Amino acid sequence: HRRDQAHVFIVPFGISMNSFGPPCPNPESPSMKAEGYKSPLERMDRLTEAVTSIPEFKQNPKRFFFVATEWRFSSWYARANADNLMSSQFFKQVYTKATWGLMETNWGRQDRAGCVLTFPWVPKPNLVRPEEPFNVWKDREIVLFWRYYSRKTASGECLRPPLFDAQKRMPFRNVIVKGKNHSNFTAEIWDSKFSLTLFNDDPASHRFFDSIAAGCIPVVISQNHYPHFSPFFQLLNYQDFTINVPEDRFKKDPDVLIQRIQAVIDDETRLESMYRSLLVARRALLLASNDTQVVEYTLANIAGRCLPGGRFKATKVFDDREKKNARKCHG
């Protein structure tokens, strides 16, 4: 489209732009010397000058949507590390005025970016499986899948003990393993109907998007995953394609996980409905899908949330600093 007819400008924004990444191009390369900048922060200042000189940006900077899938640009991280993460010029003139696709929105404290959309993460590329008819998918042999690297996380230790406790009583086939050897990961998740997402360092997890890519119904045990870490939650009904188990209840009674999954397995009509809703969600959340609609959902979200006349209300801030909201491990 012609620039003067565009309503939204999509700007790819990668890690090489910020101070954590290596200078791009390499400091020794001729192009670095020709461009005349010596660091990523200096490069960001040049970007700031270029963006802010665009007439459309001056008129309405929220029309400029920055696609930043790098986790460090999640607003919860940027709040605490803005001085090191980006140049002050870029922060004041671009970050606080434009629209951003980040990991989450309004979790912990109000975002400082101009307008924030929770944007889908990119799953592991080897996990993307083509869509299957329900009568093929329902023959997957593993009911529940969860493999995780054995490192400790900020909050994951709260949920792993009750999970392994519940596993002892699961009447259905499962793969619930913590360790370093995951050579069967792809084959197992492709043969699974449900895949588990736990609160680890924060409410989000790549496993949620890995599950969707592999064609698994996500089972989420993660306080505040919805809505703060759920892309396009105002356009997708997450209840239609996910099972959400409250953390507090799970920690008190791990068998609630078994009950929730078993209830869906025993009702094939509901199972098929959830699977068909999952296929719709895949198109909204996976760029790698053959018939992806990520761009359409993104534009609709920007229009509804950031541009004049938008019909979406901003999510309320979840203040994780309040004592009543503090996360505690059971027992």
Side-chain angles (χ1 to χ4, degrees):
H1 297 286
R2 290 176 52 188
R3 196 180 80 178
D4 59 354
Q5 295 176 337
H7 292 285
V8 175
F9 300 85
I10 298 178
V11 184
F13 192 86
I15 185 66
S16 62
M17 287 290 189
N18 70 56
S19 59
F20 285 88
C24 180
N26 186 289
E28 302 303 321
S29 71
S31 56
M32 172 67 90
K33 298 174 182 177
E35 290 293 334
Y37 53 80
K38 300 178 181 179
S39 72
L41 291 181
E42 189 176 342
R43 189 179 188 218
M44 293 183 82
D45 285 342
R46 297 280 285 276
L47 175 65
T48 303
E49 295 167 3
V51 171
T52 55
S53 68
I54 300 173
E56 290 83 1
F57 187 87
K58 295 178 180 179
Q59 294 170 4
N60 187 353
K62 289 185 179 179
R63 291 168 61 190
F64 284 71
F65 177 70
F66 284 75
V67 183
T69 55
E70 163 59 37
W71 71 268
R72 293 187 182 94
F73 275 96
S74 178
S75 49
W76 67 264
Y77 189 92
R79 283 193 294 267
N81 300 277
D83 292 342
N84 295 322
L85 186 64
M86 60 190 86
S87 71
S88 59
Q89 185 178 355
F90 184 85
F91 177 79
K92 294 176 182 178
Q93 298 183 38
V94 178
Y95 185 77
T96 60
K97 295 182 179 181
T99 295
W100 286 81
L102 304 178
M103 280 173 53
E104 49 81 20
T105 178
N106 286 358
W107 181 67
R109 271 183 282 166
Q110 186 74 36
D111 298 306
R112 292 197 288 177
C115 188
V116 177
L117 310 180
T118 306
F119 196 71
W121 294 11
V122 178
K124 300 177 184 66
N126 61 299
L127 298 184
V128 179
R129 186 172 177 86
E131 293 184 5
E132 300 170 307
F134 176 73
N135 62 349
V136 174
W137 178 87
K138 71 177 183 178
D139 291 334
R140 293 186 176 195
E141 295 185 356
I142 300 170
V143 173
L144 181 61
F145 174 86
W146 183 80
R147 276 187 176 272
Y148 198 83
Y149 189 67
S150 58
R151 74 171 179 88
K152 289 186 176 182
T153 63
S155 301
E157 307 313 305
C158 293
L159 300 175
R160 293 174 188 174
L163 173 60
F164 286 113
D165 178 43
Q167 183 186 24
K168 300 172 185 176
R169 295 177 295 280
M170 288 182 181
F172 41 74
R173 185 178 173 188
N174 62 82
V175 173
I176 298 178
V177 179
K178 181 175 71 172
K180 296 183 178 180
N181 182 9
H182 298 304
S183 58
N184 296 326
F185 190 105
T186 301
E188 289 170 343
I189 197 171
W190 278 4
D191 197 26
S192 300
K193 293 184 178 75
F194 300 87
S195 180
L196 193 61
T197 293
L198 300 180
F199 191 121
N200 292 302
D201 293 320
D202 55 55
S205 172
H206 274 103
R207 183 56 45 77
F208 182 83
F209 298 97
D210 289 346
S211 302
I212 291 174
C216 300
I217 295 173
V219 179
V220 181
I221 309 177
S222 181
Q223 182 176 317
N224 293 299
H225 179 272
Y226 183 91
H228 301 289
F229 288 78
S230 299
F232 314 140
F233 73 91
Q234 289 158 316
L235 298 169
L236 292 171
N237 188 344
Y238 273 69
Q239 292 182 348
D240 290 346
F241 66 94
T242 66
I243 295 176
N244 197 301
V245 181
E247 276 191 40
D248 290 342
R249 185 174 176 186
F250 175 67
K251 286 184 283 188
K252 294 177 181 177
D253 179 16
D255 287 355
V256 67
L257 173 63
I258 300 172
Q259 296 161 9
R260 292 287 182 89
I261 294 175
Q262 192 66 54
V264 177
I265 294 173
D266 292 341
D267 185 346
E268 187 166 309
T269 300
R270 184 182 174 192
L271 182 65
E272 182 174 2
S273 176
M274 292 192 74
Y275 177 66
R276 294 192 183 283
S277 296
L278 174 67
L279 297 183
V280 174
R282 276 171 57 100
R283 295 162 200 151
L285 299 173
L286 288 185
L287 282 166
S289 172
N290 289 333
D291 48 359
T292 182
Q293 295 177 329
V294 170
V295 171
E296 288 83 351
Y297 273 82
T298 299
L299 294 176
N301 219 11
I302 294 172
R305 188 178 177 90
C306 302
L307 299 184
R311 57 191 176 92
F312 298 153
K313 295 181 180 180
T315 53
K316 294 181 179 180
V317 176
F318 175 81
D319 192 344
D320 56 355
R321 298 167 298 170
E322 293 183 13
K323 186 175 181 180
K324 66 180 181 179
N325 292 324
R327 294 174 45 79
K328 296 180 180 179
C329 291
H330 179 60

